[in-house]
Each structure stands twice: as structure tokens, then as C-alpha cells.
Amino acid sequence: MTIIDDPAPSGDDFVLGPATRLLWRSPHSIHLELGEQAVVVEGLPASAVSRVVAHHPPPDPAASDPAITRALVDLADAGYLWPRIPESGEYREPGPAGDHSDPRRAPPHPRLAGELTALAVTHAERAAEVLAARGQASVVVHGRSRAAAHLGAVLAAAGVGRVHCVAGGTVRLHQAMPGGVLPGDEGLDLSVAADTALHRAAPEVDTTPPPPDQAPDLTVLAIDAPIDDDRRVALHAAGAAHLVVSLGADRGTVGPLVLPGLTSCLRCADLHRRDRDPAWSALAVQLTVPRRGGSGSDVAVSTVVVGAAALQALAFLDGGDPACVDGTLELRLPDWRLRRRSRPPHPDCDCALPADPGR
């Protein structure tokens, strides 16, 4: 980027965005990085650079130069710089038509400052708005998988305001993992231990169930077995977005993320599996029977899968484009890579039709 001489409207004072890194290439050239995005700025005076990195910048006659102001505004529009209130140093969020007078909201909780910084990479000046929206979102996690409480805790730590875990029975040792229920929870009510895990990660999270008249924004099925048809039909009838997360002894799967009536569904996945294996329907019924000793899973694989599932859930809640819509993300040992398997709508499935609870 080269500073241009075209006149530009006056702008506010600017500071480096919280996720922006500034490097000097030469005395007259700086390099700005924002995640994978980078830009080189030539000819920006050192005094202007000092102003954007200083908490309380001194007066500088060059700050009123239209070319400098224009360059700073362009950098702010690209997300590298954020406007601030000169008197207090607080950030301001750009308003319509380049108006930088609207105050920027602070993180909903001080511990979420890191999340705000991370969101600035992809959402720039909308980062605070996206983080605040997470605080109003609700997720319900079903299942006794060791991934269930851990995933709930990660979502809570990322700023999701309400995360409710639904699980029956008591904690067993094979369900314990870092970030989830712990070995010391053995024998406790699983739902209570899950709530404790969530509050360890995010003391302010609401772990109560959503009100009867308020559907969760996302339902997670952390169940290490095929999902029974009654549950699938109920989720479809309610129009409830739902994400499947499953673990095995040497593998983990995230997805599909189902948006009823818009994407492929769990029955589509079963039909694709049936096409590859005619005996799948009989096998699926037997796989729903819990193992006597519980299902085993590699703790490292489980951790990676929970992280991938959290990224997909947050992408959906943040209004993004999750990779596991019409597909799954799969990790299998000894291969360390997450691979996406496409699962488009199956021609024999009726999931694209309007939901009918009586069907």
C-alpha cells in the first residue's frame, strides 16, 4: 500500500487492532499482519506510526495531513486499525458511512478479551458484536460421551451464554478427560459433574435448560452410537439445528450439522451408509446397545475432535459457514489429519419436505 495524495475526509485517531502485529521493514516501510492477511505500507511518517501504537499519543501536526488520514482510514476499514476516543483511549466502533463515533462495546466478561482479539482477525470491527451475540446464544448438549461435558466447557469458555448438558446416570472413569468430567467425579451424577466442568471453564455461564418456549440455537448430540429415528424425527419436526459428535477407539467424527429442510440429515447419512453396506440397517440397531464397559476412545483424539466440534458450532452460532454442513469431519489414527467426507442430501430421503410430526 502506498500513501496517495488525494484529499481525504478527516478521520479520528486510530490504534492498532488487538490482533494486528506491526513490523518495520525499513525506516520508511511497515508491515502489518492480521492473521493470514498482511499489508505493506510505504511512506507513512514515523510520527504517524507512533500515534497508532501509543496509548496516549502526543499532538502531531502531521496527523491532520489528508493523505495520512486517508491511509489510516483505509487501514481501519481493512481491520488493521481501530478508532479510539482520544480523551480516554477507548475503542470506537465505526458507524454507517465511515462514521467512527459509535462507542465500541467491551468484552461481555474480562476473561473474554482473548476471544475478542481472535475474532478481530475474521470479523474486524464486528468482533465485539459477534462476541456479544455469542453471549445471547444457547446450546444444549445431549449424551454420555466423554466429549459431551468437554465440548460444553469449550463453548462456555468461548463466550456462549447458556450451555446445558443433558445426561443421565453417574460418572464412570472412562468418561473422564481434561476439560470435562474428572476422575474424582466418579460416581457423581453425570449432569451435575458436567455443570461443574462448565463452571470451571466459565464461572458466569448459565447451565440451566432453556425455557420451554425458547428453543436452543444449537443441539449437540455427543452420542457414540447411531442416533435413533425417533430423536431424528423430533429434531426435524422442531426445526432444530443439530450437530453430531461421535468418538471411537481410534477415530472421531464431527457432523453432520443438520439444518432441517435445508441440508442433508441423519437419515441421509444412514442411506448413504446403506448404499455402501446393505447390512447397515441391521448393524445400526445393534450398535445402539450400550457396551457393558462403556465405549473407549483415545484421549488425544477426543481432545482434537472436541476442538474441531467447537469450531464448527461457533462458526454456526457466529453466522459463518461450517464445513460439516452436508458433510462430516473425520479423524482416524494413525493419520493425524482431519478429512471432510461429503454427505449430500440422499435422493431417497424426505428430509427436504416440510416437517410433519405425525409422519
Side-chain angles (χ1 to χ4, degrees), residues 13 41 77 114 124 134 141 145 181 219 285 297 304 341 346:
D13 200 7
V41 184
D77 290 342
R134 280 188 191 177
V141 182
S145 163
V181 298
T219 298
V285 172
S297 57
V304 174
R341 182 191 295 272
H346 194 281

Side-chain angles (χ1 to χ4, degrees), residues 242-244 253-259 263-264 307-317 319-330 338-344:
H242 48 286
L243 172 67
V244 178
T253 303
V254 179
L257 177 73
V258 180
L259 308 178
T263 69
S264 68
L311 286 171
Q312 296 300 295
L314 292 171
F316 171 72
L317 295 174
D321 186 18
C324 60
V325 170
D326 289 339
T328 56
L329 299 178
E330 301 180 2
L338 279 170
R339 299 181 182 275
R340 185 182 187 277
R341 182 191 295 272
S342 180
R343 296 186 183 276

Side-chain angles (χ1 to χ4, degrees), residues 1 3-4 8 41 44 66-76 81:
M1 178 185 294
I3 293 181
I4 58 176
V41 184
L44 195 64
I68 295 175
T69 299
R70 176 65 178 273
L72 296 179
V73 170
D74 288 345
L75 290 171
L81 304 182

Side-chain angles (χ1 to χ4, degrees), residues 9-283:
S10 297
D12 293 326
D13 200 7
F14 296 92
V15 293
L16 284 179
T20 303
R21 187 175 186 183
L22 185 152
L23 304 170
W24 287 94
R25 299 177 68 90
S26 74
H28 306 290
S29 174
I30 62 172
H31 177 103
L32 298 175
E33 292 183 352
L34 183 63
E36 295 296 317
Q37 179 181 330
V39 64
V40 175
V41 184
E42 302 281 355
L44 195 64
S47 60
V49 177
S50 297
R51 289 182 64 82
V52 301
V53 299
H55 292 291
H56 302 287
D60 180 13
S64 60
D65 186 298
I68 295 175
T69 299
R70 176 65 178 273
L72 296 179
V73 170
D74 288 345
L75 290 171
D77 290 342
Y80 293 98
L81 304 182
W82 284 11
R84 67 175 171 186
I85 303 172
E87 294 81 7
S88 63
E90 295 176 1
Y91 292 118
R92 288 180 175 269
E93 184 172 3
D99 174 19
H100 296 279
S101 61
D102 295 335
R104 179 178 297 278
R105 288 172 289 181
H109 192 279
R111 69 169 186 80
L112 294 173
E115 289 296 316
L116 180 62
T117 299
L119 285 170
V121 174
T122 51
H123 296 280
E125 71 275 0
R126 290 191 58 249
E129 176 187 340
V130 172
L131 187 55
R134 280 188 191 177
Q136 301 301 313
S138 65
V139 176
V140 174
V141 182
H142 291 263
R144 293 178 48 81
S145 163
R146 72 188 313 186
H150 189 192
L151 176 56
V154 173
L155 294 177
V160 177
R162 184 195 299 267
V163 183
H164 176 59
C165 291
V166 181
T170 58
V171 178
R172 301 178 67 181
L173 277 178
H174 73 268
Q175 295 165 324
M177 72 179 293
V181 298
L182 302 178
D185 296 327
E186 184 183 15
L188 298 179
D189 184 274
L190 181 55
S191 61
V192 173
D195 281 2
T196 302
L198 266 62
H199 285 294
R200 278 196 301 266
E204 76 284 356
V205 68
D206 184 353
T207 59
T208 62
D213 60 345
Q214 180 182 323
D217 297 288
L218 179 65
T219 298
V220 177
L221 305 175
I223 300 171
D224 298 335
I227 308 300
D228 65 81
D229 198 54
D230 289 343
R231 174 168 283 177
R232 179 193 69 82
V233 170
L235 290 167
H236 184 78
H242 48 286
L243 172 67
V244 178
V245 181
S246 62
L247 298 172
D250 62 348
R251 55 89 186 160
T253 303
V254 179
L257 177 73
V258 180
L259 308 178
L262 299 176
T263 69
S264 68
C265 72
L266 302 183
R267 183 165 182 260
C268 290
D270 278 345
L271 291 171
H272 284 298
R273 180 70 181 266
R274 184 202 62 186
D275 291 345
R276 299 193 303 272
D277 183 355
W280 170 244
S281 296
L283 296 175

